[in-house]
């Protein structure tokens, strides 16, 4: 521990996801994925939730991920900037379709493997520890068309092949892995989360939980493989977190909050404890949800739980059992009743730093496994001056208050936290809306919602601020 309460080897850094920053969607043999064919605009929500089938680019829509911020060609410049801020870690994801363009090939695409190898080496050059999300929402389109995405058990074979390839090839270069980004997203945005599209009359709930089962087993298979290939490997699960509060002390509200929390913690209960919780089995029974599973699955789940628990945190949530309490927060896939005590971002995401401390404590109390905050930050409109400089004090305020909350959770509550990576450390495409305008970065990127701009990078005020935070190991937050 340092005098500030952060562990000496605390992993400070930032996070991105392949499709939101790389661009170069068809370079060097890369195949098409679900995350490529989600356009910006009103239709996006229906596409990411699987209500509107879009399995290819269609006329009349703009697809921001095609080019993104072109990090594929600019990663050296970008990693140099991360290093200048003093990053100890950089969280990024692998684009599955760079490695296996269709998903079911026997042999990987060497060009894709080389790309990430070079990227990891670039990180290592600066002493930056890569933290790698194996799948950040991406699923090859071919696997969706041919097998139905994660509803199919055959995905286990393809995912295992992907993992084996990655763990073997990057042994010694990468140690920290996350199996599925925001695994609970499958319930809220099933196309983006798991490559699911629904036909009329299908039992969507059953399909979602069947897909969830496959991902959970796949995650255990990955853990098993990772440890076999290199005992140094550490595997984490990843939850879109943020506890639900009851709207009032009415026990019905408290119960509703408990139920909604369980909908999310369900995934981590399996990944961290190794078995399906009774409440889920009972709920499936009541709802007539039959998830097909074999004995071997249950053994995998039991024997290969995760080493650590990672999560994203943007906001807490609120639950009410009263249908009259129906004023919801805007702009989030995770619907929540509005909390009258909190301010909100320009996109309606409510700001609750104490909620981060609460969430850290809930997770710690529930699992007693080391945690990693792998996403946190403020999506905001930035107005750069002629040099591309943004005085983003609002972002600094947001991050400062959340870092303080995390410090309290470590110091005052004794939770075990491995590190903190802010979301979108460089401006990138929003997953929820497809906008460029919703920016999270310390680094401004000249590009707008329509894809115009020079892609030039420039430092915001928060760049120097975060640099100071890291250099002082979290002591100097002013
Ligand atoms: P954006 C909500 C909606 C979509 C993705 O979100 C989300 C969430 C958060 O609960 O999850 C993560 O870009 C995700 C990132 C994403 C980030 O939140 O909609 O892991 O890919 O960019 C922020 O503002």
């Amino acid at each position: 521990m340092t005098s500030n309460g952060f562990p000496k080897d605390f992993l400070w850094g930032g996070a991105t996801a392949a499709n939101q920053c790389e661009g170069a969607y068809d370079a060097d043999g890369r195949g098409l994925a679900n995350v490529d064919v989600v356009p910006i605009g009103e239709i996006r929500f229906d596409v990411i939730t699987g209500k509107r089938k879009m399995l290819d680019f269609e006329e009349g829509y703009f697809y921001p991920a095609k080019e993104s911020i072109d990090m594929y060609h600019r990663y050296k410049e970008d990693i140099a900037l991360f290093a200048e801020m003093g990053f100890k870690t950089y969280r990024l994801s692998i684009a599955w379709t760079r490695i296996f363009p269709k998903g079911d090939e026997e042999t990987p695409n060497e060009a894709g493997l080389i790309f990430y190898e070079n990227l990891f080496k670039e990180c290592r050059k600066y002493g930056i520890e890569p933290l790698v999300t194996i799948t950040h929402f991406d699923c090859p389109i071919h696997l969706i068309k041919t097998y139905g995405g994660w509803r199919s058990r055959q995905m286990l074979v393809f995912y295992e092949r992907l993992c084996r390839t990655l763990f073997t090839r990057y042994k010694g270069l990468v140690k920290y892995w996350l199996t599925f980004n925001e695994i609970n997203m499958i319930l809220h945005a099933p196309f983006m989360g798991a490559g699911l599209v629904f036909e009329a009359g299908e039992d969507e709930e059953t399909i979602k939980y069947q897909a969830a089962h496959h991902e959970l087993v796949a995650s255990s298979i990955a853990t098993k493989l990772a440890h076999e290939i290199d005992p140094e490997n550490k595997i984490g699960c990843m939850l879109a977190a943020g506890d639900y509060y009851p709207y009032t002390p009415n026990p019905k509200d408290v119960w509703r909050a408990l139920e909604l929390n369980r909908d999310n913690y369900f995934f981590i209960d399996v990944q961290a404890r190794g078995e399906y919780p009774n409440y889920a089995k009972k709920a499936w029974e009541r709802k007539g949800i039959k998830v097909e599973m074999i004995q071997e699955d249950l053994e995998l789940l039991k024997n290969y739980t995760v080493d650590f628990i990672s999560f994203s945190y943007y906001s807490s949530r609120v639950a009410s059992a009263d249908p009259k309490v129906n004023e919801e927060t805007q702009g989030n896939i995770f619907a929540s009743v509005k909390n009258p005590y909190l301010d909100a971002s320009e996109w309606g995401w409510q700001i609750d730093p104490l909620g981060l401390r609460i969430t850290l404590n809930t997770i710690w109390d529930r699992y007693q496994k080391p945690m990693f905050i792998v996403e946190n930050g403020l999506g905001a409109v930035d107005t750069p001056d002629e040099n591309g400089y943004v005085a983003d004090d609002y972002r600094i305020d947001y991050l400062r208050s959340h870092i303080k909350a995390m410090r309290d959770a470590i110091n005052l509550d004794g939770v075990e936290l491995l590190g903190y990576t802010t979301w979108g450390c460089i401006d990138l495409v929003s997953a929820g809306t497809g906008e460029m305008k919703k920016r999270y970065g310390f680094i401004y990127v000249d590009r707008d919602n329509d894809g115009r701009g020079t892609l030039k990078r420039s430092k915001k005020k928060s760049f120097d601020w975060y640099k100071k935070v890291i250099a002082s190991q979290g002591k100097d937050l002013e």
Side-chain angles (χ1 to χ4, degrees), residues 406-421:
M406 151 174 112
R407 189 169 65 188
D408 287 347
I410 298 172
N411 276 327
L412 307 179
D413 311 323
V415 308
E416 195 182 329
L417 190 62
L418 299 171
Y420 175 73
T421 59

Side-chain angles (χ1 to χ4, degrees), residues 132-195:
V132 177
T133 318
I134 297 168
T135 42
H136 192 118
F137 298 148
D138 54 340
C139 184
I141 283 287
H142 172 76
L143 296 185
I144 297 173
K145 286 185 176 165
T146 316
Y147 307 92
W150 280 97
R151 68 166 75 198
S152 162
R153 199 178 166 85
Q154 277 179 275
M155 291 296 284
L156 296 180
V157 176
F158 310 135
Y159 187 81
E160 176 169 1
R161 203 175 289 153
L162 172 68
C163 289
R164 186 183 297 280
T165 304
L166 300 177
F167 299 153
T168 310
R169 178 69 173 240
Y170 303 129
K171 185 174 173 176
L173 275 175
V174 180
K175 186 167 101 178
Y176 291 96
W177 305 90
L178 307 179
T179 49
F180 291 92
N181 182 62
E182 298 193 333
I183 190 160
N184 49 328
M185 188 61 86
I186 203 170
L187 302 178
H188 306 274
F191 180 66
M192 185 169 75

Side-chain angles (χ1 to χ4, degrees), residues 21-22 69-75 78 82 90 426 457:
C21 66
E22 285 178 4
I69 58 159
D70 194 35
M71 207 167 167
Y72 189 73
H73 296 110
R74 295 163 196 252
Y75 69 90
D78 296 339
F82 300 158
Y90 167 42
I426 179 166
R457 277 67 167 145

Side-chain angles (χ1 to χ4, degrees), residues 37 54 89 103 116 133 135 165 171 181 243 270 279 283 322 429:
V37 296
M54 195 180 273
T89 187
Y116 292 107
T133 318
T135 42
T165 304
K171 185 174 173 176
N181 182 62
D243 276 9
V270 180
Y279 65 80
D322 181 355
V429 175

Side-chain angles (χ1 to χ4, degrees), residues 21-303:
C21 66
E22 285 178 4
Y25 77 100
D26 60 355
D28 300 325
R30 184 185 182 282
L32 212 57
N34 57 341
V35 286
D36 301 322
V37 296
V38 289
I40 189 171
E42 272 180 29
I43 196 178
R44 186 178 181 91
F45 188 77
D46 283 349
V47 176
I48 64 179
T49 52
K51 288 185 180 64
R52 162 69 157 83
K53 195 176 196 169
M54 195 180 273
L55 298 181
D56 210 336
F57 300 120
E58 289 181 20
E59 207 54 50
Y61 296 105
F62 178 64
Y63 297 90
K66 274 181 154 180
E67 213 190 354
S68 283
I69 58 159
D70 194 35
M71 207 167 167
Y72 189 73
H73 296 110
R74 295 163 196 252
Y75 69 90
K76 287 191 180 163
E77 179 192 347
D78 296 339
I79 291 171
L81 286 166
F82 300 158
E84 194 183 328
M85 273 186 277
F87 278 23
K88 308 284 180 233
T89 187
Y90 167 42
R91 174 181 177 228
L92 66 138
S93 80
I94 301 277
W96 189 336
T97 53
R98 289 200 194 285
I99 313 297
F100 290 99
K102 290 166 77 182
D104 58 1
E105 299 92 335
E106 299 275 337
T107 44
N109 172 31
E110 181 58 23
L113 286 170
I114 286 182
F115 170 68
Y116 292 107
E117 184 177 327
N118 289 339
L119 195 153
F120 297 144
K121 284 184 177 156
E122 196 68 17
C123 291
R124 291 261 167 234
K125 190 170 111 185
Y126 298 105
I128 296 175
E129 179 80 46
L131 164 58
V132 177
T133 318
I134 297 168
T135 42
H136 192 118
F137 298 148
D138 54 340
C139 184
I141 283 287
H142 172 76
L143 296 185
I144 297 173
K145 286 185 176 165
T146 316
Y147 307 92
W150 280 97
R151 68 166 75 198
S152 162
R153 199 178 166 85
Q154 277 179 275
M155 291 296 284
L156 296 180
V157 176
F158 310 135
Y159 187 81
E160 176 169 1
R161 203 175 289 153
L162 172 68
C163 289
R164 186 183 297 280
T165 304
L166 300 177
F167 299 153
T168 310
R169 178 69 173 240
Y170 303 129
K171 185 174 173 176
L173 275 175
V174 180
K175 186 167 101 178
Y176 291 96
W177 305 90
L178 307 179
T179 49
F180 291 92
N181 182 62
E182 298 193 333
I183 190 160
N184 49 328
M185 188 61 86
I186 203 170
L187 302 178
H188 306 274
F191 180 66
M192 185 169 75
L196 299 178
V197 274
F198 303 108
E199 305 300 335
E202 277 192 322
D203 179 355
E204 296 190 11
E205 283 297 290
T206 297
I207 293 167
K208 284 195 269 186
Y209 279 105
Q210 187 65 59
H213 173 70
H214 293 147
E215 289 196 354
L216 291 166
V217 174
S219 181
S220 281
I221 291 173
T223 307
K224 176 174 187 281
L225 266 181
H227 292 163
E228 279 168 10
I229 293 171
D230 186 354
E232 287 288 298
N233 276 329
K234 300 266 179 261
I235 301 283
C237 54
M238 200 299 198
L239 178 77
D243 276 9
Y244 277 95
Y245 305 152
Y247 187 67
T248 73
N250 184 332
K252 289 180 179 163
D253 284 353
V254 178
W255 180 252
R256 186 68 194 132
L258 182 143
E259 283 184 317
L260 289 173
N261 279 321
R262 279 179 167 174
D263 285 349
N264 290 322
Y265 285 121
F266 156 78
F267 295 89
I268 311 308
D269 284 353
V270 180
Q271 289 177 294
R273 292 171 171 160
E275 57 194 20
Y276 282 106
N278 285 346
Y279 65 80
K281 291 192 239 175
K282 290 284 182 191
W284 287 352
E285 240 172 71
R286 269 198 311 278
K287 294 179 188 161
I289 295 175
K290 282 207 181 62
V291 180
E292 284 173 36
M293 48 182 92
I294 58 173
Q295 188 55 33
E296 193 196 331
D297 295 352
L298 301 178
E299 280 158 24
L300 282 165
L301 294 178
K302 184 87 219 159
N303 295 331

Side-chain angles (χ1 to χ4, degrees), residues 17 20 91 136-137 181-182 185 192 238 240 312 314 317 332-334 349 375 379 423 428-433 438 440:
Q20 293 174 254
R91 174 181 177 228
H136 192 118
F137 298 148
N181 182 62
E182 298 193 333
M185 188 61 86
M192 185 169 75
M238 200 299 198
S312 62
Y314 294 92
R317 299 152 183 164
N332 201 322
I333 292 165
F334 291 84
W349 293 23
E375 287 184 30
W423 176 248
L428 38 63
V429 175
S430 157
T433 72
K438 191 180 186 190
Y440 289 86

